[in-house]
Amino acid sequence: MRTERAFLIIFVMLGVANRAQAELLSPSVSVAGRTQNEWAEAWWNWTLSFPEASNPVTDTTGAFANLGDQGKVFFLAGHFGGAGPVTRRATVRRNQYLFLPLANGVTTVLDSSYGPSYDEMRQDVIEFVGEGSGFYAELDGTSLAGGRDLNDWLQLSPDVFTLEFPPGGIFTGGDYTGPIDSVQRGWWLMLAPLEVGTYTLRFGGMATPTGIYSDFDPNVQDVTYILTVVPEPSSLALSASALGLAGVVALMRGRRPVSV
């Protein structure tokens, strides 16, 4: 009983038994020296770098979710519109922010129906992504929006960015090779790190193309992640040391003194 009590005290001290409420960051807040738009552009380069067979966007189980580990930030993926809903499992560290798209799109200089300049690509991606509606993000069934309108979490490239199409990537082929000027637009969420534990994160919504793309089908997203949040390596080492100490203390307390 004393040993169990010692273990319980250690786990509480380490925060394992106390899960804090998830925090949805404002879209203007930077993380690890990058704006959220810069993280969105990095996300596009990340997801386009993998072949279709092992791409986090086409993944339906979480088998490739570990590819989202970007150090301080962990990327989660949507799915190609109409391909959902999907449920994936992922393991993240306690010190990692979570970055995810509710609905998003990108235009390259090769695709823009209006022309190759930034302003022309900007207009193209605005109409291609279209109007957002019905956005939601829930952690264990509780809305992360807190009554706020997730349409406000919109990011649009303020200038062209370089989108890499490496050999073996999902869209490599034809003209899609090497660096290509691009503009991204989408609704992105950045969540502060979660406490150690298991969570169900569900997010999605719909983006309806407008203008010259009004005949396109809406982009409907419905994604669920079963997240297992584990301690960062330094905390694991601390846990092992603390539990070892707890065992020693428990053994010492279990001895009867010979004299006083």
Side-chain angles (χ1 to χ4, degrees):
M1 180 64 71
R2 288 176 177 174
T3 301
E4 292 175 353
R5 183 175 298 174
F7 285 170
L8 178 60
I9 292 173
I10 293 298
F11 276 118
V12 171
M13 289 174 62
L14 292 173
V16 174
N18 182 24
R19 294 178 13 166
Q21 177 65 36
E23 178 187 358
L24 173 60
L25 273 60
S26 166
S28 61
V29 173
S30 295
V31 172
R34 286 182 173 181
T35 67
Q36 291 184 43
N37 178 75
E38 289 171 331
W39 280 114
E41 294 172 351
W43 184 97
W44 274 109
N45 272 300
W46 164 75
T47 194
L48 294 183
S49 68
F50 303 106
E52 183 173 0
S54 58
N55 194 289
V57 175
T58 60
D59 179 13
T60 59
T61 65
F64 305 108
N66 64 297
L67 299 174
D69 191 342
Q70 307 298 300
K72 189 68 173 178
V73 173
F74 196 100
F75 286 158
L76 303 179
H79 56 70
F80 290 116
V86 298
T87 298
R88 305 178 180 124
R89 294 182 177 275
T91 299
V92 302
R93 295 188 300 279
R94 181 176 178 269
N95 63 341
Q96 290 184 302
Y97 290 80
L98 302 176
F99 190 62
L100 60 95
L102 295 177
N104 59 336
V106 68
T107 289
T108 75
V109 70
L110 301 177
D111 303 313
S112 174
S113 298
Y114 287 98
S117 71
Y118 167 72
D119 287 340
E120 290 166 327
M121 284 195 286
R122 179 179 181 274
Q123 184 62 34
D124 189 82
V125 78
I126 286 174
E127 296 182 11
F128 176 67
V129 174
E131 298 178 351
S133 61
F135 290 135
Y136 58 89
E138 302 169 348
L139 190 71
D140 291 341
T142 299
S143 173
L144 293 169
R148 295 167 292 180
D149 185 356
L150 292 180
N151 266 292
D152 293 338
W153 269 253
L154 179 65
Q155 302 288 345
L156 173 65
S157 297
D159 202 345
V160 297
F161 75 100
T162 300
L163 189 55
E164 296 285 348
F165 288 83
I170 189 169
F171 291 134
T172 302
D175 294 327
Y176 290 97
T177 56
I180 299 176
D181 286 347
S182 305
V183 175
Q184 81 80 31
R185 180 174 182 264
W187 293 267
W188 301 85
L189 303 185
M190 181 76 77
L191 306 185
L194 298 171
E195 294 293 341
V196 171
T198 301
Y199 303 83
T200 299
L201 174 63
R202 182 171 179 242
F203 58 89
M206 182 170 66
T208 305
T210 60
I212 61 174
Y213 298 105
S214 58
D215 290 339
F216 281 40
D217 291 334
N219 175 10
V220 180
Q221 297 288 308
D222 186 354
V223 182
T224 298
Y225 274 89
I226 309 301
L227 297 172
T228 300
V229 182
V230 299
E232 54 270 31
S234 59
S235 294
L236 287 172
L238 176 61
S239 299
S241 300
L243 289 174
L245 176 61
V248 171
V249 171
L251 287 173
M252 292 178 64
R253 287 179 175 175
R255 294 177 181 173
R256 294 183 181 275
V258 175
S259 61
V260 292

